[in-house]
Amino acid sequence: MRVARVVVDVPLAHLDRPFDYAVPDAMAEDVRAGCRVRVRFSGQLVDGVVLELADSTTHTGKLAPLAKLVSGEPVLTPEVARLARSVADRYAGAMTDVLRLALPPRRAAAEKREAPPRPAAPAAPDPAGFARYPTGPALLGAVAGGLPARAVWTALPGEDWPARLAELCQAALSGGRGALVVVPDGRDLDRLEAAAKARLPAGSYVVLRADAAPDTRYRRFLDAARGSAQVVLGTRAASFAPVADLGLVAIWDDGDDLHAEPRAPYPHARDVLVHRAHLAGCAAVVAATARTAEAALLIESGWAHELVAERVVLRAVAPRVQALGEDSELARDPAARTARLPSLAYRVAREALAAGAPVLVQVPRSGYAPGLSCERCRAPARCRHCAGPLGIAAPAGPGGQRVAACRWCARPAAAFDCPHCHATRLRASVVGASRTAEELGRAFPGAAVSVSGRASGVLATVPPGPALVVATPGAEPVAEGGYGAALLLDSWALLGRADLRAAEETMRRWVNAAALVRPASAGGQVVVAADAGHPVVQALVRWDPATVAARELEDRRELGFPPVTRIASLTATPAALADFLEAARLPASADLLGPVPEPRRPADGPDPVHRERYLVRVPRAEGVALARALAEVQGVRSARKVAEHVRVQLDPHEM
């Protein structure tokens, strides 16, 4: 008797294991490991995936037969199945949740299509693109030779990073191996696809896009699963893509929060790819213009080596960076600390426009005026009724004047009295991109102004020529020939955030924008509206993101924060949390922090149900034990059919 071990798509933690089913004789020739089936489970027909086939079972009773073979197409490869199980265990989740992220919905028409033949392997890439990095050519050679080389690559300003990543894929293909590259969003994926088209053989790669039509996505997925395409390019869901003979995994801009999966079990694409490289014994590249503390830990632990250019090469391609708080600038303009567009920024923008170059203006938020604060002490302005944040109401008041109103209860705040300093005037906490564009249009009446952001639409590129481009972080379009200048405004809104990653994220946003500016030798300048004495500003002036990452890692080690430790966030009502923690067999080293009210964003509005959050912290070596303990409690509560679910998230991107 043939036995199929099936992962059943049932969202219950206590059923997170494969179940044995008998394979009927009529299906024996078509059922294969990795194919989709339907099985009868607890009196209902549910979906499942065959994990493996066996000749015996440990089940003592009579096995139920498979109810239906949905498709004989093996969509779950053994490597991805092993990865899914490991990721579920690491994040205290269920394998079925991971498989929902890994396997796209089936489309029968795509399965009927014949798999195209695998293209011939290309020649090894020209190492000239990586020649500016001392160990770059050696990395290409190692990938081509199938060696498990691991690198944290800090790209130079103005680097054509899509071309370099495509060359790494070409190196893997030249050695008969596959490659997987993950980028944050569709704009980056467009650039990477264009680079792959210019360097890789036609049909050797597929692009898995989140916004692609279901038929297209599933067809491309099958091309990878069948081995006809050995290179997969995509966003975070592509981390689980089936790649034949995997020789390389790479991720671009690993600090971008788009790499963090918002659905259970909430894995981060960087951690999935690093873990996948470990399981598969393949090469791995963590690449970015900046550097995260997690990447710094990979270097410190010896798991990866850093790939950086020498300082003389960096100085030749980096723009000139100036801070508004420099002594010479304060002597010239005493109001530079408080002015939103001081004379230095105005002068630099005017020079770039006069030279016929576009100017990039980065602001932290979109919209018109996203929030309000006290004009004197800058404390956030809150509603007297519900303590919600105040903002500018959309409808204009009498005489065309806008009125402040609460974002939660919509009550207008005609009179304001700061509870801290008793000032009565408000100011915009962070002026949005639209308002900034309006102000710049008045300051530079002869220049065209465009806005790139979520509200107005994200621009991919801007043409050469004098223009002002106002963009939110991550929405900066690429300018042909580079920007003549970049103005980084409202820096205090980034540096002053009460967030674990405030300094790291600020550096990432600044460096990503400044990297689009021409070299200093071509007149490129960057002005950051921040105090020149701040360590992050100093690192930007020196163009030294590695120092910021190393400092962040050391600070987190002293404070006991990730990635040096592992932290689990538990969120539910107080009663559910008390029941959960009473049943949990946490490691002896666990440190329980809390409870605190559940952190909520202003856009979420008021919540009638009071929820709290606990943090459980353990040393990194105890991370597996913590995940196992939390998964065990979830299973017990699931078996007891407890009504309220406790949200468990390990290593949350934001705390």
Side-chain angles (χ1 to χ4, degrees), residues 83 87 90-91 239 251 254 259 266-278 286 294-295 298 501 563 566 620 650-651 653:
L83 175 67
V87 168
R90 176 179 174 80
Y91 286 94
S239 303
I251 184 170
D254 65 298
H259 285 304
Y266 318 105
H268 194 284
R270 176 196 54 242
D271 298 336
V272 172
L273 292 178
V274 166
H275 193 56
R276 187 168 185 177
H278 170 72
V286 178
E294 286 79 5
L298 293 177
R501 303 178 184 273
R566 293 202 69 192
R620 190 169 184 83
L650 269 84
D651 301 332
H653 192 71

PDB file of all heavy atoms in Angstrom, residues 83 87 90-91 239 251 254 259 266-278 286 294-295 298 501 563 566 620 650-651 653:
ATOM      1  N   LEU A  83      12.503  24.094   3.892  1.00  0.00           N
ATOM      2  CA  LEU A  83      12.603  25.498   4.285  1.00  0.00           C
ATOM      3  C   LEU A  83      11.334  25.968   4.982  1.00  0.00           C
ATOM      4  O   LEU A  83      11.399  26.660   6.019  1.00  0.00           O
ATOM      5  CB  LEU A  83      12.876  26.356   3.049  1.00  0.00           C
ATOM      6  CG  LEU A  83      12.890  27.875   3.256  1.00  0.00           C
ATOM      7  CD1 LEU A  83      14.077  28.291   4.115  1.00  0.00           C
ATOM      8  CD2 LEU A  83      12.927  28.600   1.918  1.00  0.00           C
ATOM      9  N   VAL A  87      11.209  27.510   8.680  1.00  0.00           N
ATOM     10  CA  VAL A  87      10.751  28.882   8.930  1.00  0.00           C
ATOM     11  C   VAL A  87       9.584  28.880   9.912  1.00  0.00           C
ATOM     12  O   VAL A  87       9.510  29.736  10.807  1.00  0.00           O
ATOM     13  CB  VAL A  87      10.364  29.562   7.604  1.00  0.00           C
ATOM     14  CG1 VAL A  87       9.624  30.871   7.849  1.00  0.00           C
ATOM     15  CG2 VAL A  87      11.609  29.816   6.763  1.00  0.00           C
ATOM     16  N   ARG A  90      10.988  28.402  13.306  1.00  0.00           N
ATOM     17  CA  ARG A  90      11.765  29.560  13.764  1.00  0.00           C
ATOM     18  C   ARG A  90      10.865  30.693  14.243  1.00  0.00           C
ATOM     19  O   ARG A  90      11.203  31.418  15.175  1.00  0.00           O
ATOM     20  CB  ARG A  90      12.663  30.056  12.630  1.00  0.00           C
ATOM     21  CG  ARG A  90      13.440  31.317  12.959  1.00  0.00           C
ATOM     22  CD  ARG A  90      14.331  31.751  11.812  1.00  0.00           C
ATOM     23  NE  ARG A  90      14.969  33.024  12.055  1.00  0.00           N
ATOM     24  CZ  ARG A  90      16.046  33.215  12.803  1.00  0.00           C
ATOM     25  NH1 ARG A  90      16.617  32.165  13.369  1.00  0.00           N
ATOM     26  NH2 ARG A  90      16.551  34.412  12.988  1.00  0.00           N
ATOM     27  N   TYR A  91       9.693  30.844  13.609  1.00  0.00           N
ATOM     28  CA  TYR A  91       8.809  31.962  13.935  1.00  0.00           C
ATOM     29  C   TYR A  91       7.572  31.527  14.731  1.00  0.00           C
ATOM     30  O   TYR A  91       6.597  32.287  14.803  1.00  0.00           O
ATOM     31  CB  TYR A  91       8.379  32.669  12.651  1.00  0.00           C
ATOM     32  CG  TYR A  91       9.478  33.496  12.037  1.00  0.00           C
ATOM     33  CD1 TYR A  91      10.299  32.964  11.049  1.00  0.00           C
ATOM     34  CD2 TYR A  91       9.714  34.796  12.450  1.00  0.00           C
ATOM     35  CE1 TYR A  91      11.320  33.716  10.483  1.00  0.00           C
ATOM     36  CE2 TYR A  91      10.730  35.555  11.893  1.00  0.00           C
ATOM     37  CZ  TYR A  91      11.521  35.009  10.912  1.00  0.00           C
ATOM     38  OH  TYR A  91      12.545  35.756  10.354  1.00  0.00           O
ATOM     39  N   SER A 239      10.986  34.678  -1.922  1.00  0.00           N
ATOM     40  CA  SER A 239      11.987  34.041  -1.061  1.00  0.00           C
ATOM     41  C   SER A 239      11.807  32.531  -1.000  1.00  0.00           C
ATOM     42  O   SER A 239      12.758  31.792  -0.740  1.00  0.00           O
ATOM     43  CB  SER A 239      11.920  34.618   0.359  1.00  0.00           C
ATOM     44  OG  SER A 239      12.085  36.012   0.352  1.00  0.00           O
ATOM     45  N   ILE A 251      19.639  39.584  -1.694  1.00  0.00           N
ATOM     46  CA  ILE A 251      18.578  40.513  -1.334  1.00  0.00           C
ATOM     47  C   ILE A 251      19.130  41.919  -1.431  1.00  0.00           C
ATOM     48  O   ILE A 251      20.282  42.179  -1.057  1.00  0.00           O
ATOM     49  CB  ILE A 251      18.028  40.232   0.088  1.00  0.00           C
ATOM     50  CG1 ILE A 251      16.853  41.162   0.415  1.00  0.00           C
ATOM     51  CG2 ILE A 251      19.112  40.336   1.134  1.00  0.00           C
ATOM     52  CD1 ILE A 251      16.117  40.778   1.685  1.00  0.00           C
ATOM     53  N   ASP A 254      18.062  45.333   2.393  1.00  0.00           N
ATOM     54  CA  ASP A 254      17.408  44.481   3.384  1.00  0.00           C
ATOM     55  C   ASP A 254      16.788  45.254   4.530  1.00  0.00           C
ATOM     56  O   ASP A 254      15.987  44.706   5.292  1.00  0.00           O
ATOM     57  CB  ASP A 254      18.405  43.461   3.934  1.00  0.00           C
ATOM     58  CG  ASP A 254      19.538  44.112   4.711  1.00  0.00           C
ATOM     59  OD1 ASP A 254      20.291  44.900   4.100  1.00  0.00           O
ATOM     60  OD2 ASP A 254      19.693  43.849   5.913  1.00  0.00           O
ATOM     61  N   HIS A 259      10.293  44.260   3.148  1.00  0.00           N
ATOM     62  CA  HIS A 259      10.777  42.876   3.216  1.00  0.00           C
ATOM     63  C   HIS A 259      10.160  42.113   4.390  1.00  0.00           C
ATOM     64  O   HIS A 259      10.311  40.890   4.467  1.00  0.00           O
ATOM     65  CB  HIS A 259      12.304  42.856   3.358  1.00  0.00           C
ATOM     66  CG  HIS A 259      13.037  43.184   2.098  1.00  0.00           C
ATOM     67  ND1 HIS A 259      12.849  42.485   0.927  1.00  0.00           N
ATOM     68  CD2 HIS A 259      13.968  44.132   1.825  1.00  0.00           C
ATOM     69  CE1 HIS A 259      13.635  42.986  -0.010  1.00  0.00           C
ATOM     70  NE2 HIS A 259      14.308  43.984   0.493  1.00  0.00           N
ATOM     71  N   TYR A 266       4.928  35.966   9.880  1.00  0.00           N
ATOM     72  CA  TYR A 266       5.654  37.236   9.842  1.00  0.00           C
ATOM     73  C   TYR A 266       7.162  37.088   9.619  1.00  0.00           C
ATOM     74  O   TYR A 266       7.973  37.730  10.298  1.00  0.00           O
ATOM     75  CB  TYR A 266       5.411  38.026  11.137  1.00  0.00           C
ATOM     76  CG  TYR A 266       3.987  38.000  11.611  1.00  0.00           C
ATOM     77  CD1 TYR A 266       3.606  37.215  12.704  1.00  0.00           C
ATOM     78  CD2 TYR A 266       3.004  38.728  10.955  1.00  0.00           C
ATOM     79  CE1 TYR A 266       2.287  37.180  13.137  1.00  0.00           C
ATOM     80  CE2 TYR A 266       1.684  38.695  11.374  1.00  0.00           C
ATOM     81  CZ  TYR A 266       1.330  37.922  12.469  1.00  0.00           C
ATOM     82  OH  TYR A 266       0.025  37.881  12.885  1.00  0.00           O
ATOM     83  N   PRO A 267       7.596  36.283   8.665  1.00  0.00           N
ATOM     84  CA  PRO A 267       9.050  36.162   8.430  1.00  0.00           C
ATOM     85  C   PRO A 267       9.589  37.365   7.679  1.00  0.00           C
ATOM     86  O   PRO A 267       8.863  38.055   6.947  1.00  0.00           O
ATOM     87  CB  PRO A 267       9.154  34.893   7.574  1.00  0.00           C
ATOM     88  CG  PRO A 267       7.861  34.857   6.820  1.00  0.00           C
ATOM     89  CD  PRO A 267       6.821  35.405   7.762  1.00  0.00           C
ATOM     90  N   HIS A 268      10.866  37.627   7.844  1.00  0.00           N
ATOM     91  CA  HIS A 268      11.560  38.679   7.106  1.00  0.00           C
ATOM     92  C   HIS A 268      12.323  38.027   5.960  1.00  0.00           C
ATOM     93  O   HIS A 268      12.977  36.995   6.139  1.00  0.00           O
ATOM     94  CB  HIS A 268      12.519  39.434   8.020  1.00  0.00           C
ATOM     95  CG  HIS A 268      13.027  40.717   7.443  1.00  0.00           C
ATOM     96  ND1 HIS A 268      13.999  40.760   6.463  1.00  0.00           N
ATOM     97  CD2 HIS A 268      12.701  42.017   7.698  1.00  0.00           C
ATOM     98  CE1 HIS A 268      14.250  42.017   6.146  1.00  0.00           C
ATOM     99  NE2 HIS A 268      13.473  42.799   6.872  1.00  0.00           N
ATOM    100  N   ALA A 269      12.242  38.643   4.771  1.00  0.00           N
ATOM    101  CA  ALA A 269      12.855  38.032   3.586  1.00  0.00           C
ATOM    102  C   ALA A 269      14.356  37.822   3.774  1.00  0.00           C
ATOM    103  O   ALA A 269      14.899  36.809   3.316  1.00  0.00           O
ATOM    104  CB  ALA A 269      12.591  38.903   2.359  1.00  0.00           C
ATOM    105  N   ARG A 270      15.039  38.764   4.434  1.00  0.00           N
ATOM    106  CA  ARG A 270      16.479  38.590   4.638  1.00  0.00           C
ATOM    107  C   ARG A 270      16.760  37.348   5.469  1.00  0.00           C
ATOM    108  O   ARG A 270      17.636  36.536   5.131  1.00  0.00           O
ATOM    109  CB  ARG A 270      17.057  39.825   5.350  1.00  0.00           C
ATOM    110  CG  ARG A 270      18.543  39.687   5.701  1.00  0.00           C
ATOM    111  CD  ARG A 270      18.978  40.718   6.731  1.00  0.00           C
ATOM    112  NE  ARG A 270      18.138  40.674   7.909  1.00  0.00           N
ATOM    113  CZ  ARG A 270      17.386  41.694   8.332  1.00  0.00           C
ATOM    114  NH1 ARG A 270      17.374  42.825   7.680  1.00  0.00           N
ATOM    115  NH2 ARG A 270      16.641  41.562   9.414  1.00  0.00           N
ATOM    116  N   ASP A 271      16.025  37.176   6.561  1.00  0.00           N
ATOM    117  CA  ASP A 271      16.265  36.020   7.423  1.00  0.00           C
ATOM    118  C   ASP A 271      15.910  34.718   6.717  1.00  0.00           C
ATOM    119  O   ASP A 271      16.582  33.694   6.903  1.00  0.00           O
ATOM    120  CB  ASP A 271      15.462  36.166   8.716  1.00  0.00           C
ATOM    121  CG  ASP A 271      15.875  37.390   9.518  1.00  0.00           C
ATOM    122  OD1 ASP A 271      17.026  37.843   9.341  1.00  0.00           O
ATOM    123  OD2 ASP A 271      15.050  37.906  10.293  1.00  0.00           O
ATOM    124  N   VAL A 272      14.862  34.735   5.892  1.00  0.00           N
ATOM    125  CA  VAL A 272      14.499  33.530   5.142  1.00  0.00           C
ATOM    126  C   VAL A 272      15.611  33.159   4.170  1.00  0.00           C
ATOM    127  O   VAL A 272      16.005  31.989   4.064  1.00  0.00           O
ATOM    128  CB  VAL A 272      13.168  33.749   4.393  1.00  0.00           C
ATOM    129  CG1 VAL A 272      12.889  32.580   3.448  1.00  0.00           C
ATOM    130  CG2 VAL A 272      12.021  33.903   5.377  1.00  0.00           C
ATOM    131  N   LEU A 273      16.152  34.152   3.451  1.00  0.00           N
ATOM    132  CA  LEU A 273      17.190  33.860   2.469  1.00  0.00           C
ATOM    133  C   LEU A 273      18.492  33.433   3.135  1.00  0.00           C
ATOM    134  O   LEU A 273      19.185  32.532   2.635  1.00  0.00           O
ATOM    135  CB  LEU A 273      17.425  35.085   1.591  1.00  0.00           C
ATOM    136  CG  LEU A 273      16.262  35.455   0.658  1.00  0.00           C
ATOM    137  CD1 LEU A 273      16.595  36.702  -0.131  1.00  0.00           C
ATOM    138  CD2 LEU A 273      15.934  34.307  -0.286  1.00  0.00           C
ATOM    139  N   VAL A 274      18.847  34.068   4.236  1.00  0.00           N
ATOM    140  CA  VAL A 274      20.056  33.649   4.955  1.00  0.00           C
ATOM    141  C   VAL A 274      19.902  32.215   5.448  1.00  0.00           C
ATOM    142  O   VAL A 274      20.828  31.390   5.344  1.00  0.00           O
ATOM    143  CB  VAL A 274      20.336  34.610   6.124  1.00  0.00           C
ATOM    144  CG1 VAL A 274      21.375  34.030   7.084  1.00  0.00           C
ATOM    145  CG2 VAL A 274      20.819  35.959   5.597  1.00  0.00           C
ATOM    146  N   HIS A 275      18.729  31.899   5.977  1.00  0.00           N
ATOM    147  CA  HIS A 275      18.486  30.537   6.452  1.00  0.00           C
ATOM    148  C   HIS A 275      18.460  29.559   5.281  1.00  0.00           C
ATOM    149  O   HIS A 275      18.963  28.431   5.393  1.00  0.00           O
ATOM    150  CB  HIS A 275      17.163  30.501   7.206  1.00  0.00           C
ATOM    151  CG  HIS A 275      16.944  29.250   7.992  1.00  0.00           C
ATOM    152  ND1 HIS A 275      17.832  28.802   8.948  1.00  0.00           N
ATOM    153  CD2 HIS A 275      15.941  28.328   7.957  1.00  0.00           C
ATOM    154  CE1 HIS A 275      17.390  27.675   9.480  1.00  0.00           C
ATOM    155  NE2 HIS A 275      16.252  27.364   8.882  1.00  0.00           N
ATOM    156  N   ARG A 276      17.909  29.990   4.154  1.00  0.00           N
ATOM    157  CA  ARG A 276      17.871  29.118   2.979  1.00  0.00           C
ATOM    158  C   ARG A 276      19.276  28.834   2.458  1.00  0.00           C
ATOM    159  O   ARG A 276      19.575  27.718   2.036  1.00  0.00           O
ATOM    160  CB  ARG A 276      17.018  29.764   1.887  1.00  0.00           C
ATOM    161  CG  ARG A 276      16.768  28.874   0.691  1.00  0.00           C
ATOM    162  CD  ARG A 276      15.691  29.424  -0.225  1.00  0.00           C
ATOM    163  NE  ARG A 276      15.398  28.490  -1.301  1.00  0.00           N
ATOM    164  CZ  ARG A 276      14.467  28.665  -2.229  1.00  0.00           C
ATOM    165  NH1 ARG A 276      13.723  29.762  -2.204  1.00  0.00           N
ATOM    166  NH2 ARG A 276      14.260  27.751  -3.170  1.00  0.00           N
ATOM    167  N   ALA A 277      20.133  29.864   2.465  1.00  0.00           N
ATOM    168  CA  ALA A 277      21.518  29.648   2.045  1.00  0.00           C
ATOM    169  C   ALA A 277      22.215  28.651   2.957  1.00  0.00           C
ATOM    170  O   ALA A 277      23.015  27.818   2.498  1.00  0.00           O
ATOM    171  CB  ALA A 277      22.263  30.977   2.036  1.00  0.00           C
ATOM    172  N   HIS A 278      21.905  28.709   4.250  1.00  0.00           N
ATOM    173  CA  HIS A 278      22.495  27.756   5.196  1.00  0.00           C
ATOM    174  C   HIS A 278      22.016  26.336   4.913  1.00  0.00           C
ATOM    175  O   HIS A 278      22.823  25.392   4.889  1.00  0.00           O
ATOM    176  CB  HIS A 278      22.131  28.181   6.619  1.00  0.00           C
ATOM    177  CG  HIS A 278      22.463  27.158   7.661  1.00  0.00           C
ATOM    178  ND1 HIS A 278      23.756  26.887   8.043  1.00  0.00           N
ATOM    179  CD2 HIS A 278      21.669  26.324   8.392  1.00  0.00           C
ATOM    180  CE1 HIS A 278      23.756  25.942   8.973  1.00  0.00           C
ATOM    181  NE2 HIS A 278      22.507  25.581   9.189  1.00  0.00           N
ATOM    182  N   VAL A 286      23.963  39.869   0.816  1.00  0.00           N
ATOM    183  CA  VAL A 286      23.070  40.868   1.409  1.00  0.00           C
ATOM    184  C   VAL A 286      23.586  42.225   0.953  1.00  0.00           C
ATOM    185  O   VAL A 286      24.658  42.662   1.380  1.00  0.00           O
ATOM    186  CB  VAL A 286      23.047  40.762   2.944  1.00  0.00           C
ATOM    187  CG1 VAL A 286      22.147  41.838   3.545  1.00  0.00           C
ATOM    188  CG2 VAL A 286      22.584  39.374   3.378  1.00  0.00           C
ATOM    189  N   GLU A 294      21.554  43.843  11.494  1.00  0.00           N
ATOM    190  CA  GLU A 294      21.536  42.402  11.209  1.00  0.00           C
ATOM    191  C   GLU A 294      22.655  42.023  10.244  1.00  0.00           C
ATOM    192  O   GLU A 294      23.312  40.984  10.418  1.00  0.00           O
ATOM    193  CB  GLU A 294      20.186  42.004  10.624  1.00  0.00           C
ATOM    194  CG  GLU A 294      19.045  41.955  11.619  1.00  0.00           C
ATOM    195  CD  GLU A 294      18.486  43.336  11.949  1.00  0.00           C
ATOM    196  OE1 GLU A 294      18.918  44.327  11.329  1.00  0.00           O
ATOM    197  OE2 GLU A 294      17.612  43.425  12.835  1.00  0.00           O
ATOM    198  N   ALA A 295      22.895  42.866   9.238  1.00  0.00           N
ATOM    199  CA  ALA A 295      23.997  42.604   8.313  1.00  0.00           C
ATOM    200  C   ALA A 295      25.335  42.736   9.025  1.00  0.00           C
ATOM    201  O   ALA A 295      26.270  41.965   8.765  1.00  0.00           O
ATOM    202  CB  ALA A 295      23.923  43.562   7.128  1.00  0.00           C
ATOM    203  N   LEU A 298      26.060  39.562  10.811  1.00  0.00           N
ATOM    204  CA  LEU A 298      26.530  38.504   9.912  1.00  0.00           C
ATOM    205  C   LEU A 298      28.032  38.619   9.686  1.00  0.00           C
ATOM    206  O   LEU A 298      28.744  37.614   9.614  1.00  0.00           O
ATOM    207  CB  LEU A 298      25.790  38.582   8.575  1.00  0.00           C
ATOM    208  CG  LEU A 298      24.298  38.259   8.583  1.00  0.00           C
ATOM    209  CD1 LEU A 298      23.701  38.463   7.197  1.00  0.00           C
ATOM    210  CD2 LEU A 298      24.054  36.830   9.063  1.00  0.00           C
ATOM    211  N   ARG A 501      14.881  51.265  15.446  1.00  0.00           N
ATOM    212  CA  ARG A 501      15.675  51.414  14.226  1.00  0.00           C
ATOM    213  C   ARG A 501      15.755  52.863  13.741  1.00  0.00           C
ATOM    214  O   ARG A 501      16.031  53.097  12.565  1.00  0.00           O
ATOM    215  CB  ARG A 501      15.082  50.535  13.122  1.00  0.00           C
ATOM    216  CG  ARG A 501      14.996  49.073  13.490  1.00  0.00           C
ATOM    217  CD  ARG A 501      14.361  48.236  12.389  1.00  0.00           C
ATOM    218  NE  ARG A 501      14.210  46.860  12.805  1.00  0.00           N
ATOM    219  CZ  ARG A 501      15.152  45.938  12.663  1.00  0.00           C
ATOM    220  NH1 ARG A 501      16.295  46.253  12.093  1.00  0.00           N
ATOM    221  NH2 ARG A 501      14.966  44.706  13.074  1.00  0.00           N
ATOM    222  N   PRO A 563      19.472  42.424  16.824  1.00  0.00           N
ATOM    223  CA  PRO A 563      19.532  40.982  16.546  1.00  0.00           C
ATOM    224  C   PRO A 563      20.385  40.178  17.527  1.00  0.00           C
ATOM    225  O   PRO A 563      20.554  38.986  17.331  1.00  0.00           O
ATOM    226  CB  PRO A 563      20.165  40.947  15.162  1.00  0.00           C
ATOM    227  CG  PRO A 563      21.090  42.115  15.153  1.00  0.00           C
ATOM    228  CD  PRO A 563      20.406  43.182  15.941  1.00  0.00           C
ATOM    229  N   ARG A 566      16.649  37.567  20.814  1.00  0.00           N
ATOM    230  CA  ARG A 566      15.403  37.328  20.081  1.00  0.00           C
ATOM    231  C   ARG A 566      14.250  37.748  20.977  1.00  0.00           C
ATOM    232  O   ARG A 566      14.228  37.438  22.177  1.00  0.00           O
ATOM    233  CB  ARG A 566      15.253  35.870  19.672  1.00  0.00           C
ATOM    234  CG  ARG A 566      16.282  35.426  18.641  1.00  0.00           C
ATOM    235  CD  ARG A 566      15.805  34.214  17.878  1.00  0.00           C
ATOM    236  NE  ARG A 566      14.685  34.553  16.992  1.00  0.00           N
ATOM    237  CZ  ARG A 566      13.923  33.639  16.377  1.00  0.00           C
ATOM    238  NH1 ARG A 566      14.155  32.355  16.565  1.00  0.00           N
ATOM    239  NH2 ARG A 566      12.941  34.013  15.592  1.00  0.00           N
ATOM    240  N   ARG A 620      20.098  35.114  21.991  1.00  0.00           N
ATOM    241  CA  ARG A 620      19.904  34.593  20.639  1.00  0.00           C
ATOM    242  C   ARG A 620      20.021  33.074  20.599  1.00  0.00           C
ATOM    243  O   ARG A 620      19.306  32.409  19.830  1.00  0.00           O
ATOM    244  CB  ARG A 620      20.928  35.225  19.693  1.00  0.00           C
ATOM    245  CG  ARG A 620      20.648  34.936  18.232  1.00  0.00           C
ATOM    246  CD  ARG A 620      21.503  35.770  17.311  1.00  0.00           C
ATOM    247  NE  ARG A 620      21.156  35.538  15.917  1.00  0.00           N
ATOM    248  CZ  ARG A 620      20.157  36.140  15.281  1.00  0.00           C
ATOM    249  NH1 ARG A 620      19.411  37.024  15.919  1.00  0.00           N
ATOM    250  NH2 ARG A 620      19.901  35.879  14.017  1.00  0.00           N
ATOM    251  N   LEU A 650       7.639  36.887  16.339  1.00  0.00           N
ATOM    252  CA  LEU A 650       9.032  36.867  16.754  1.00  0.00           C
ATOM    253  C   LEU A 650       9.842  37.851  15.922  1.00  0.00           C
ATOM    254  O   LEU A 650       9.643  37.974  14.715  1.00  0.00           O
ATOM    255  CB  LEU A 650       9.629  35.462  16.620  1.00  0.00           C
ATOM    256  CG  LEU A 650       9.494  34.616  17.897  1.00  0.00           C
ATOM    257  CD1 LEU A 650       8.133  33.956  17.936  1.00  0.00           C
ATOM    258  CD2 LEU A 650      10.604  33.593  18.004  1.00  0.00           C
ATOM    259  N   ASP A 651      10.751  38.533  16.592  1.00  0.00           N
ATOM    260  CA  ASP A 651      11.632  39.522  15.960  1.00  0.00           C
ATOM    261  C   ASP A 651      10.835  40.522  15.130  1.00  0.00           C
ATOM    262  O   ASP A 651      11.071  40.687  13.924  1.00  0.00           O
ATOM    263  CB  ASP A 651      12.686  38.832  15.085  1.00  0.00           C
ATOM    264  CG  ASP A 651      13.547  37.865  15.865  1.00  0.00           C
ATOM    265  OD1 ASP A 651      13.712  38.088  17.078  1.00  0.00           O
ATOM    266  OD2 ASP A 651      14.041  36.890  15.284  1.00  0.00           O
ATOM    267  N   HIS A 653       9.654  43.727  13.196  1.00  0.00           N
ATOM    268  CA  HIS A 653      10.469  44.767  12.560  1.00  0.00           C
ATOM    269  C   HIS A 653      10.348  46.085  13.305  1.00  0.00           C
ATOM    270  O   HIS A 653      11.291  46.875  13.342  1.00  0.00           O
ATOM    271  CB  HIS A 653      10.033  44.948  11.105  1.00  0.00           C
ATOM    272  CG  HIS A 653      10.975  45.770  10.289  1.00  0.00           C
ATOM    273  ND1 HIS A 653      12.222  45.322   9.910  1.00  0.00           N
ATOM    274  CD2 HIS A 653      10.870  47.026   9.784  1.00  0.00           C
ATOM    275  CE1 HIS A 653      12.839  46.260   9.214  1.00  0.00           C
ATOM    276  NE2 HIS A 653      12.034  47.304   9.118  1.00  0.00           N
TER     277      HIS A 653
END
